[in-house]
């Protein structure tokens, strides 16, 4: 009897702890708002190829970065003359954002200050810095100088799409998905933004890579969960 | 969310080497801005606030930029019991141009790309003090300092870290000066923020540090209670025509702080003394209904210190709250913006409990933070 009692207690205790675990899990899912954020679309521009949601949509090998970006601009039929006066970093970021937003008109869905941009890279604006510096040996150009700040690419994407929400530019030696995930989750979970373009846009001479994510609170048919792991897989392997 | 307190601060500038020294000089009306004849930086004489040639000279390990960061963080850490090596402490670095002078001095070095990178400087700084977490680097034009503070605020509010050492610095080189000269943005005299005869900026060098903590034991310190960032989506080198977007940032910062516009005792503006910036700010202040509140710009003392400016000016605002003293706008005589604002022209001694600090920059960016007692 005594033995039975103990065993019984043990049974109920373990059942109770299982129940607690299950309800904790439900509670966690309900309250961890980061679970309710979604990657609506993603884009990559690297190695003379433009990818949309993991699929190559344009390739133009054997040309330099400038010629490739121009060819991609023409292929994507963006028709935005301001593109021509931009520096390489802004061109790269703008093209990646156009691919990202192609089937997602976030500008129409949300108020202008509900959409923001958080970008990161390793070389800040060094590509534009070198071009301005070389030019300034003869005459300093304001048109080049304005691009000697990495956040100008954010300004260009904002102007094109009339996005007026939170924006920030961080420099990392390597892409830090965990930080970007945390920072963007804060902005969406606290209702500072409803949608955010985030990711990596880096360009220095012929080395370049852009990987952007459109993150929303709203879920779409093709949405994937907004997690640091998914961001990393997309960054590294172009798929989740 | 956790409350965030300002535990310690430092300003390292041509005006002084501690926050107290800087505040004391500003109370006396002393400025770091003077005329320089330096052919290495500019063919023509120019007004700027610069360190003496024998200060913060680059050595084999650290550049001038990095020495400024180190000097500022060293003094701030000295004044508190926050431990850099604590895993709960994060380092956040703010700058616009960092080591850009290396293009002039080390242009042929094959390792230039690596050495000039901002993450290299941040790593050297972190190693010097023993920070264990990866440092964060903000490079977001002239709002960098405020973005760095807002980032620190958010990381501490959510418990990601307990303490944040937020440091910013910029050095004035030929690169930077020639760029602003090419924009015709440099005044030929000491700058005059919000004045009818203002005609451009002065540049300045400096570094500044604020140490933030969510530890309730600092509850009697000044609090950083809110912050927000916005974009004009209008022009990459000119401010908004309406001021609406800076107003968005002000409004969101106040709301995140739970403070009404009329509860703010003074505003520390960006006030660069260019025609367009000051006009835009006046419009934004009016949209916020804050035109009666005393407002100052500190550019007449420091010039525009770029990635350090948000931090330097926020620290003077913190000291203003502590000392119940609003610093006057040096260079201002007669209101020269189309919207009425209450520019502080004289030193004001009055009880102060809360302050709004704003900044705007290239790329159409705006930021605002709220500080309270």
């Amino acid at each position: 009897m005594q033995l039975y009692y103990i065993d019984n207690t043990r049974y109920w205790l373990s059942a109770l702890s299982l129940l607690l675990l299950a309800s904790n899990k439900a509670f966690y899912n309900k309250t961890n708002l980061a679970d309710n954020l979604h990657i609506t679309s993603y884009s990559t521009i690297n190695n003379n190829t433009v990818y949309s949601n993991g699929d190559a949509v344009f390739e133009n090998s054997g040309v330099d970065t400038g010629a490739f970006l121009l060819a991609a601009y023409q292929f994507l039929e963006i028709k935005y003359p301001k593109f021509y006066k931009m520096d390489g970093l802004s061109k790269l970021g703008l093209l990646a954002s156009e691919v990202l937003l192609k089937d997602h008109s976030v500008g129409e869905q949300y108020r202008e200050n509900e959409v923001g941009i958080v970008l990161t890279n390793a070389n800040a604006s060094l590509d534009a810095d070198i071009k301005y510096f070389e030019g300034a040996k003869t005459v300093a150009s304001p048109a080049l100088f304005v691009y000697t700040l990495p956040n100008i690419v954010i300004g260009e994407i904002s102007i094109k799409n009339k996005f007026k929400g939170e924006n920030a530019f961080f420099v990392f030696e390597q892409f830090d998905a965990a930080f970007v995930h945390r920072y963007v989750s804060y902005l969406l979970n606290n209702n500072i933004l409803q949608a955010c373009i985030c990711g990596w846009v880096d360009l220095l001479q012929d080395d370049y890579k852009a990987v952007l994510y459109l993150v929303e609170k709203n879920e779409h048919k093709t949405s994937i969960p907004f997690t640091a792991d998914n961001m990393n897989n997309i960054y590294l392997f172009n798929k989740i | 969310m956790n409350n965030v307190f300002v535990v310690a601060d430092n300003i390292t500038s041509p005006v002084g080497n501690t926050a107290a020294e800087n505040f004391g000089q500003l109370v006396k009306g002393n400025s770091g801005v003077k005329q320089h004849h330096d052919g290495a930086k500019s063919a023509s004489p120019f007004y700027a606030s610069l360190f003496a040639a024998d200060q913060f000279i680059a050595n084999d390990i650290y550049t001038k930029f990095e020495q400024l960061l180190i000097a500022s963080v060293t003094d701030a850490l000295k004044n508190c019991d926050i431990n850099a090596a604590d895993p709960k402490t994060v380092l956040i670095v703010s700058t616009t141009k960092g080591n850009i002078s290396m293009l002039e001095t080390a242009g042929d070095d094959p390792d230039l790309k690596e050495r000039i990178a901002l993450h290299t400087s941040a790593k050297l700084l972190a190693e010097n003090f023993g920070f264990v977490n990866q440092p964060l680097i903000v490079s977001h034009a002239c709002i960098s300092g405020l973005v760095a503070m807002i980032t620190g605020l958010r990381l501490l509010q959510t418990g990601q870290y307990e303490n944040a050492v937020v440091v910013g610095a910029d050095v004035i080189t030929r690169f930077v000066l020639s760029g602003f000269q090419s924009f015709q943005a440099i005044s030929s005299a000491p700058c005059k923020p919000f004045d009818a005869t203002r005609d451009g900026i002065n540049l300045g060098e400096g570094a500044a540090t604020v140490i933030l903590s969510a530890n309730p034991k600092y509850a009697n310190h000044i609090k950083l209670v809110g912050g927000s960032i916005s974009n004009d989506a209008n022009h990459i080198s000119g401010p908004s025509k309406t001021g609406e977007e800076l107003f968005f940032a002000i409004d969101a910062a106040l709301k995140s702080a739970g403070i009404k516009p009329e509860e703010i005792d003074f505003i520390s503006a960006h006030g660069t003394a260019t025609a367009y910036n000051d006009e835009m700010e006046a419009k934004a202040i009016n949209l916020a209904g804050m035109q009666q509140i005393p407002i100052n710009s500190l550019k007449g003392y420091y010039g525009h210190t770029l990635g350090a400016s948000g931090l330097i000016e926020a620290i003077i605002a913190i000291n203003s709250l502590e000392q119940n003293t609003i610093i006057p706008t040096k260079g201002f005589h007669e209101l020269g913006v189309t919207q009425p604002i209450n520019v502080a022209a004289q030193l004001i001694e009055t009880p102060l409990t809360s302050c709004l600090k704003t900044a705007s920059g290239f790329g159409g960016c705006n930021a605002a933070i709220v500080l309270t007692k």
Side-chain angles (χ1 to χ4, degrees), chain B residues 288-306:
Chain B
M290 300 174 86
Q291 59 272 26
Q292 302 298 330
I293 299 169
I295 184 169
N296 69 9
S297 158
L298 303 177
K299 297 295 191 287
Y301 303 93
Y302 293 106
H304 191 343
T305 52
L306 309 173

Side-chain angles (χ1 to χ4, degrees), chain A residues 122 125 129 132-133 142 148 150-151 158 162 164 166-171 173 176 182-183 186-187 204, chain B residues 97 100 104 113 119 123 134 137 139-141 154 157 160 175 178-179 182 229-233 236 245 362:
Chain A
S125 56
D129 295 344
Y132 168 76
F133 178 73
T148 64
N151 63 299
S158 297
K162 290 284 161 218
K164 297 187 174 181
E166 281 265 341
N167 51 115
F169 202 104
F170 297 95
V171 173
E173 188 173 5
D176 188 336
R182 216 157 40 228
Y183 193 86
Y186 179 98
L187 295 175
L204 179 58
Chain B
K97 295 315 306 166
I100 198 65
E104 296 163 31
K113 174 194 156 189
H119 51 78
K123 202 182 287 175
Q134 173 179 239
I137 304 147
S139 188
H140 203 114
R154 290 169 176 170
Q157 276 179 334
Q160 186 65 39
F175 183 105
S178 66
S182 78
I229 304 159
S230 70
N231 197 286
D232 293 343
I236 50 169
E245 298 80 11
F362 275 178

Side-chain angles (χ1 to χ4, degrees), chain A residues 177-189:
Chain A
F179 174 80
V180 176
H181 176 260
R182 216 157 40 228
Y183 193 86
V184 172
S185 295
Y186 179 98
L187 295 175
L188 286 123
N189 287 337

Side-chain angles (χ1 to χ4, degrees), chain B residues 128-256:
Chain B
N128 183 75
F129 291 99
F131 287 93
V132 291
N133 294 301
Q134 173 179 239
L136 299 172
I137 304 147
V138 175
S139 188
H140 203 114
C142 302
I143 69 166
S144 297
L146 294 191
V147 175
M149 286 182 77
I150 291 167
T151 301
L153 169 69
R154 290 169 176 170
L155 290 170
L156 269 48
Q157 276 179 334
T158 52
Q160 186 65 39
Y161 298 100
E162 186 174 289
N163 315 302
V165 176
V166 187
V167 58
D170 260 306
V171 173
I172 299 308
T173 61
R174 186 183 189 88
F175 183 105
V176 173
L177 184 60
S178 66
F180 281 98
Q181 283 169 336
S182 78
F183 264 104
Q184 315 284 327
I186 303 279
S187 174
S188 57
C191 70
K192 301 167 190 168
F194 301 112
D195 191 78
T197 61
R198 72 187 183 278
D199 64 350
I201 68 169
N202 304 142
L203 289 169
E205 299 182 314
T209 305
V210 287
I211 299 182
L212 304 174
S213 179
N215 190 327
K217 76 175 181 181
Y218 303 111
N220 60 339
H221 287 245
I222 301 290
K223 289 189 272 295
L224 175 58
V225 286
S228 176
I229 304 159
S230 70
N231 197 286
D232 293 343
N234 175 57
H235 198 282
I236 50 169
S237 59
S240 163
K241 290 188 180 73
T242 61
E244 208 177 320
E245 298 80 11
L246 172 58
F247 162 65
F248 288 162
I250 292 171
D251 186 51
L254 289 169
K255 281 178 179 150
S256 73

Side-chain angles (χ1 to χ4, degrees), chain B residues 19 64 105 195 209 264 266 270-271 284 292 312 321 328-329 335 347:
Chain B
K64 178 177 176 179
T105 57
D195 191 78
T209 305
I264 294 289
F266 74 103
H270 192 46
Q292 302 298 330
I312 289 177
L321 288 173
T329 303
L335 191 68
L347 193 83

